Amino acid sequence: MKDASPQTIFLKDYAAFGWRIEDVHLTFHLSGGATRVVSRIHFAPNPDAPEQAFFLHGEQLKLIRASIDGNAVSPELSEQGLTCDVPSGPFLWESEVEIAPDSNTALEGLYMSGGMYCTQCEAEGFRKITYYPDRPDVMAVFTVRVEGDMPVLLSNGNLKGNGDGWAEWHDPWPKPAYLFALVAGDLVNFPGAFKTMSGKDVALNIWVRPGDEGKCAFGMEALIASMKWDEEVYGREYDLEIFNIVAVDDFNMGAMENKGLNVFNSSCVLASPETSTDSNFERIEAIIAHEYFHNWTGNRITCRDWFQLCLKEGLTVFRDGQFTSDVRSAPVKRIEDVIQLRARQFPEDQGPLAHPVRPESFQEINNFYTATIYEKGAEVIGMLKTLVGDDAYAKAVDLYFDRHDGDAATIEDWLKVFEDSTGRDLTQFKRWYAQAGTPFVTVEEAWEDGTFTLTLRQHTPPSPGQDVKKPYVIPVAVGLIGPNGNEVLETQILELADAEQSFDFSGLAARPVASVLRGFSAPVVLTHDVDRAFLLAHDSDPFNRWEASRGLARDCLLAMIRDGAAPDAAWLDGLEKVLRDDTLDPAYRALMLEAPSAAEMAQVLHENGVIPDPQAIWDAMDTLAQAMADRWAGFLPELAEQTKVTAAYKPDAEQAGKRFLGGAVLALTRRLDGGAAALAQFETADNMTLQLVALGNLLRAGVGDAALSAFYGQWKDDRLVMDKWFGLQVSASAPKDAIDRAEALVQHEAFDWQNPNRFRAVFGALSMHHAAFHHVSGRAYALLTDWLIKLDDKNPQTTARMCSAFQTWRRYDADRQTLIEAQLQRIMAKPNLSPDTNEMVSRILA
Ligand code: TYR
């Protein structure tokens, strides 16, 4: 257990570590109950650091011995680490500690998963392995010897030698401890090879448990595509002789970019057509790219301290997004990203957990691996690129690599390369990193004597600890469309830098229709009273064309919920025209057909001063979908025909787009045929995408029980497919049934609650099922809380992260607020509550 009273750490208190490390040598004697770790570290005083006592982090370690320059020492130990008197010059520190990987359920440090040893050190896990300055600005060259009774023994860097029961690895690139990794187990490899742009051969491997070899080919292809892309687009070459990926079943996050030895949640790397959906494939490709791209943005250039987390994560998400846009469809990727941003980042930025892209304080850094750091961090980079232009962006990034290779850098360093290479002053732009909260932008139009004027206003509401916000510089991409539907002004970037600014467009023959915030050029909430039906019909910007339909859908649902209106027939007419246009990408049409999420509608209601009633949102969405199905009864079979794939399964954008649209059509069709088409699809499906969509629709039609048990019989031995089986029963049920299902599922023998994927399968699905989670009985709140309290002792990180399900609680009515508050208080009252969960719940309650 950590210290009971959590400490707050501030960016402003940063001070360099008092010593540099010349090299690190680690020896691991592996044993499940008592692993010995021997470290030899050469320290030398750091002349740039302030005077300080010698302190090494260390948690849950049993110190066996320690020495300095060969003489035994007795350091002073605390729960956080040790202090010791040290010589004034360079010295050799040696220690031996004992740790117990087999009782490590937090999945941080060295732990066991399915019989194999593995590590997770980001952010502060290395201190659970040995005594060390566990901070990212201390970079060192590591040599690691692993000894253990396991056929495969891996660590970072290049393999220096191995034999029976041992292996020695050397990583020539200085790195912070959070990038350390060790894996040992009975593993098999799926091999590959890559020749770099300067002609160096790199051996590639994906290491998996025996039996999973057949699920590696796609990951390997994605890795090779990523390596090539980073050379072609960013000029970045790989820098070791070997690149290893390992799949582990027990992992708190998606994956981890340890130098030369990426560790992946098996759900984020293993794939086969029979067991993975098209979205799984797309996500796996993106995560492999993300972790690989970290080799330069994160590893070669790392972060000075954890406040700079967005320096590596925002940039790397931005880069993996560019990669996906290049290998798939750019407009589809942009729309998917914005849907995610609104679903995950906006609620965070507008609620009690709001924090700047670069926070100024934290208690537990693990709580800051958030949508704001990652996704808004990437949006900020996208805006910077839009403002300076593509060529200037490329130049600045080159300068970043030249200037900071080998550094532990800051956001100031990042912005400075843009200032130096473009001459632009980024002082105001930097507010995107410092201020929290989603900006609200309103647009007002005027038309006089051939001049069209757009007046833009921005406002950002207060967020915790920040009452007053200064204006941002916001790139607003605008195009103008003439009355006949032709574009009269191609996309231009307006720079909104003041609270209010007007922009004139003169010499126009007729009043145009403005298409504002094209491509979602900034992460803001836009209010613009515009003819959306016209934009849906004519906008040349694919994002804004989709956005027009989305806006109409939101308005339609709002009117249904608030005023009891009927579904908007004019919008459905416009939408039908788009759906009938078979020159449009099926994936794009599927996105058009997809309704806003219930949580998005709750947000819209809240913005319009209406307290969201989750059941009313559910009912309105149900009515709307039924109206679509009835209206298009004749058209749906025609559309379904267009989505048939006859070629062998491929997870590429083309086939996946067809199946995506097919799924959307099936969801309407089952409202007309009681699930007959879904049943036929379920019985003939030869891939998981078609099978799972069919099963979901059978469940939604209330006729899915037989298919559900058939599915169980077919897949009960596949952990990743079983996660889908657990999750889908909750997400595809009506509100009250979803809670009943979740209650039954946690009693199921296959509910392994200590496995984060399985825990999230049930409780992630429950908390994302808006009407179920907020069911008036409060049963879902209580059920989730019971299990969060149970998990907290075992795995604080995953527990804390899942508490964010409650972050929007103050949006709801007084009764629900009372119910939720009682559950949050129940968590706070738990004895020995982890600092992680304590910080999250305290912030949510504040
Ligand atoms: N750095 C990882 C990434 O690529 C995420 C991560 C963070 C993984 C913390 C694990 C962890 O404990 O985004």
Side-chain angles (χ1 to χ4, degrees):
M1 271 288 98
K2 285 193 187 169
D3 202 340
S5 59
Q7 276 187 336
T8 301
I9 301 164
F10 294 91
L11 169 61
K12 63 173 167 48
D13 294 342
Y14 171 81
F17 184 57
W19 289 263
R20 296 208 169 115
I21 295 185
E22 274 145 22
D23 59 74
V24 177
H25 193 289
L26 301 174
T27 305
F28 286 81
H29 304 276
L30 295 175
S31 152
T35 289
R36 288 285 174 103
V37 185
V38 179
S39 73
R40 291 165 51 87
I41 307 170
H42 283 101
F43 286 100
N46 176 1
D48 302 334
E51 182 85 14
Q52 59 197 271
F54 183 72
F55 172 78
L56 298 179
H57 295 105
E59 286 177 16
Q60 299 159 37
L61 305 173
K62 184 162 143 202
L63 182 63
I64 307 294
R65 63 183 169 88
S67 67
I68 290 181
D69 292 331
N71 303 314
V73 290
S74 305
E76 196 173 312
L77 305 181
S78 72
E79 289 196 342
Q80 280 81 39
L82 61 76
T83 50
C84 191
D85 288 334
V86 298
S88 56
F91 60 92
L92 172 65
W93 163 267
E94 290 175 276
S95 78
E96 181 166 351
V97 300
E98 191 177 290
I99 52 180
D102 66 2
S103 52
N104 178 352
T105 57
L107 314 181
E108 200 184 49
L110 178 67
Y111 66 95
M112 316 244 11
S113 172
M116 71 198 256
Y117 293 85
C118 59
T119 55
Q120 174 53 41
C121 294
E122 187 177 6
E124 298 180 332
F126 193 72
R127 62 190 63 182
K128 294 181 169 178
I129 292 177
T130 193
Y131 286 101
Y132 198 79
D134 186 8
R135 38 185 295 165
D137 58 345
V138 176
M139 298 173 83
V141 170
F142 281 64
T143 303
V144 178
R145 185 179 168 91
V146 190
E147 295 181 11
D149 185 18
M150 288 281 174
V152 177
L153 304 167
L154 306 172
S155 190
N156 316 88
N158 297 321
L159 182 63
K160 286 292 127 187
N162 62 348
D164 202 19
W166 68 275
E168 198 161 299
W169 293 84
H170 176 74
D171 179 2
W173 300 103
K175 67 166 174 291
Y178 82 86
L179 293 173
F180 167 83
L182 177 154
V183 170
D186 181 9
L187 300 170
V188 289
N189 69 321
F190 182 96
F194 186 75
K195 199 183 263 310
T196 71
M197 59 189 189
S198 72
K200 294 190 196 101
D201 287 310
V202 183
L204 312 176
N205 291 296
I206 299 181
W207 295 92
V208 296
R209 300 214 310 222
D212 285 336
E213 305 89 313
K215 293 182 177 177
C216 300
F218 179 77
M220 184 56 76
E221 271 176 46
L223 174 60
I224 292 170
S226 308
M227 294 177 88
K228 215 165 142 43
W229 187 91
D230 214 17
E231 291 186 345
E232 285 168 2
V233 180
Y234 279 85
R236 298 294 109 202
E237 186 177 25
Y238 187 62
D239 53 4
L240 291 167
E241 294 155 17
I242 186 164
F243 187 84
N244 285 316
I245 286 178
V246 183
V248 304
D249 285 335
D250 300 280
F251 203 73
N252 283 328
M253 305 274 281
M256 179 64 211
E257 71 265 23
N258 317 297
K259 183 80 188 189
L261 178 54
N262 286 188
V263 174
F264 274 64
N265 185 323
S266 52
S267 71
C268 298
V269 55
L270 300 181
S272 76
E274 298 73 34
T275 58
S276 313
T277 63
D278 292 325
S279 337
N280 294 150
F281 278 99
E282 181 175 339
R283 188 168 133 81
I284 287 167
E285 181 180 83
I287 295 179
I288 288 187
H290 179 94
E291 305 312 330
Y292 176 72
F293 296 160
H294 267 316
N295 191 56
W296 276 92
T297 50
N299 302 3
R300 288 285 286 261
I301 305 180
T302 193
C303 302
R304 188 193 69 175
D305 52 70
W306 291 118
F307 298 101
Q308 323 293 330
L309 182 57
C310 66
L311 179 71
K312 74 177 178 82
E313 295 303 347
L315 179 53
T316 306
V317 170
F318 182 72
R319 276 154 46 71
D320 81 56
Q322 289 181 297
F323 169 76
T324 299
S325 306
D326 281 357
V327 300
R328 292 175 180 263
S329 151
V332 167
K333 170 66 175 162
R334 189 65 191 136
I335 293 167
E336 287 172 349
D337 280 354
V338 173
I339 291 173
Q340 282 302 314
L341 194 76
R342 285 181 175 145
R344 297 175 51 239
Q345 201 276 326
F346 279 20
E348 183 171 273
D349 223 359
Q350 293 168 38
L353 296 176
H355 55 275
V357 170
R358 183 174 66 178
E360 253 136 47
S361 70
F362 59 73
Q363 289 177 357
E364 176 48 67
I365 184 58
N366 284 328
N367 287 333
F368 284 82
Y369 286 78
T370 60
T372 297
I373 306 281
Y374 276 68
E375 273 74 36
K376 189 175 180 183
E379 291 296 320
V380 170
I381 292 181
M383 287 190 284
L384 188 54
K385 182 164 178 279
T386 302
L387 288 170
V388 302
D390 293 353
D391 294 345
Y393 170 82
K395 262 208 211 125
V397 174
D398 282 345
L399 180 59
Y400 178 64
F401 290 126
D402 283 352
R403 191 183 277 178
H404 293 293
D405 186 12
D407 286 354
T410 60
I411 288 303
E412 282 73 18
D413 294 329
W414 166 253
L415 291 175
K416 188 82 167 61
V417 297
F418 281 82
E419 292 192 320
D420 289 353
S421 65
T422 65
R424 196 183 165 109
D425 179 355
L426 293 173
T427 313
Q428 187 185 3
F429 185 80
K430 199 178 167 191
R431 288 179 193 155
W432 282 108
Y433 287 99
Q435 295 186 153
T438 314
F440 286 70
V441 174
T442 56
V443 183
E444 208 179 280
E445 301 182 355
W447 169 248
E448 211 182 309
D449 299 335
T451 296
F452 183 65
T453 305
L454 287 176
T455 301
L456 305 180
R457 294 186 183 84
Q458 61 167 306
H459 167 71
T460 306
S463 59
Q466 292 184 335
D467 291 341
V468 183
K469 313 281 180 175
K470 294 186 177 144
Y472 292 93
V473 49
I474 304 178
V476 182
V478 170
L480 299 179
I481 302 165
N484 60 0
N486 291 338
E487 189 143 283
V488 292
L489 180 81
E490 279 184 17
T491 306
Q492 289 201 352
I493 306 300
L494 309 181
E495 289 187 23
L496 172 63
D498 299 334
E500 176 181 333
Q501 243 168 295
S502 292
F503 301 87
D504 288 340
F505 305 89
S506 49
L508 296 166
R511 180 179 179 135
V513 176
S515 169
V516 181
L517 206 69
R518 283 184 159 178
F520 204 67
S521 58
V524 302
V525 175
L526 184 78
T527 308
H528 180 198
D529 186 10
V530 66
D531 185 348
R532 292 207 172 85
F534 182 88
L535 292 178
L536 173 58
H538 301 294
D539 205 325
S540 65
D541 180 70
F543 178 85
N544 259 12
R545 197 174 178 197
W546 169 82
E547 180 77 325
S549 190
R550 190 73 160 197
L552 288 165
R554 283 194 291 260
D555 290 351
C556 163
L557 285 162
L558 178 64
M560 290 172 72
I561 294 162
R562 188 183 51 193
D563 317 323
D568 175 0
W571 162 52
L572 293 176
D573 274 346
L575 182 56
E576 184 177 334
K577 289 207 183 78
V578 175
L579 296 173
R580 283 187 183 277
D581 181 353
D582 61 12
T583 65
L584 291 171
D585 180 354
Y588 183 71
R589 286 185 278 159
L591 286 165
M592 285 274 188
L593 199 46
E594 200 176 82
S597 72
E600 188 176 338
M601 284 316 301
Q603 160 97 22
V604 169
L605 288 160
H606 176 72
E607 275 164 22
N608 283 275
V610 183
I611 293 177
D613 172 353
Q615 185 61 43
I617 297 175
W618 170 272
D619 292 339
M621 296 184 60
D622 191 49
T623 305
L624 176 59
Q626 190 62 49
M628 287 176 159
D630 293 338
R631 183 183 182 98
W632 293 327
F635 167 46
L636 290 173
E638 223 178 287
L639 198 52
E641 240 348 89
Q642 290 179 29
T643 69
K644 293 250 147 62
V645 176
T646 46
Y649 180 90
K650 271 210 225 156
D652 61 7
E654 197 193 325
Q655 279 198 14
K658 286 190 171 179
R659 284 185 288 267
F660 182 17
L661 182 56
V665 172
L666 191 66
L668 296 178
T669 307
R670 65 105 177 142
R671 293 174 172 275
L672 303 173
D673 70 1
L679 186 61
Q681 178 168 318
F682 184 79
E683 283 170 348
T684 56
D686 63 355
N687 62 72
M688 183 50 67
T689 308
L690 292 180
Q691 193 180 14
L692 203 66
V693 163
L695 181 58
N697 278 296
L698 290 169
L699 290 170
R700 288 190 177 89
V703 295
D705 284 340
L708 196 61
S709 40
F711 190 92
Y712 180 80
Q714 187 181 357
W715 296 116
K716 61 180 180 316
D717 297 325
D718 188 304
R719 288 180 79 170
L720 297 175
V721 181
M722 283 308 289
D723 289 336
K724 301 183 198 309
W725 183 84
F726 273 91
L728 188 68
Q729 292 179 65
V730 177
S731 57
S733 294
K736 195 186 141 304
D737 299 344
I739 308 173
D740 295 340
R741 293 263 189 191
E743 275 176 348
L745 285 169
V746 294
Q747 302 304 327
H748 194 279
E749 56 175 6
F751 183 65
D752 174 5
W753 60 278
Q754 291 194 47
N755 174 257
N757 290 358
R758 193 58 50 89
F759 191 92
R760 279 189 291 250
V762 173
F763 290 108
L766 183 62
S767 56
M768 281 174 341
H769 189 319
H770 188 254
F773 187 60
H774 293 287
H775 190 263
V776 64
S777 62
R779 276 172 61 211
Y781 304 146
L783 182 65
L784 175 63
T785 300
D786 289 346
W787 285 85
L788 290 175
I789 287 173
K790 190 163 166 178
L791 189 65
D792 186 64
D793 283 328
K794 302 285 180 188
N795 187 333
Q797 223 187 96
T798 290
T799 308
R801 196 160 292 132
M802 294 205 64
C803 291
S804 61
F806 292 113
Q807 69 179 332
T808 54
W809 70 291
R810 288 195 202 272
R811 260 184 208 168
Y812 297 93
D813 53 84
D815 289 348
R816 284 186 173 84
Q817 287 195 34
T818 306
L819 289 167
I820 296 175
E821 189 169 7
Q823 299 303 332
L824 292 170
Q825 296 295 0
R826 196 151 73 85
I827 299 176
M828 290 305 282
K830 172 192 171 269
N832 293 320
L833 186 67
S834 68
D836 308 55
T837 305
N838 180 71
E839 181 187 23
M840 286 294 275
V841 178
S842 311
R843 285 163 66 206
I844 293 171
L845 279 168

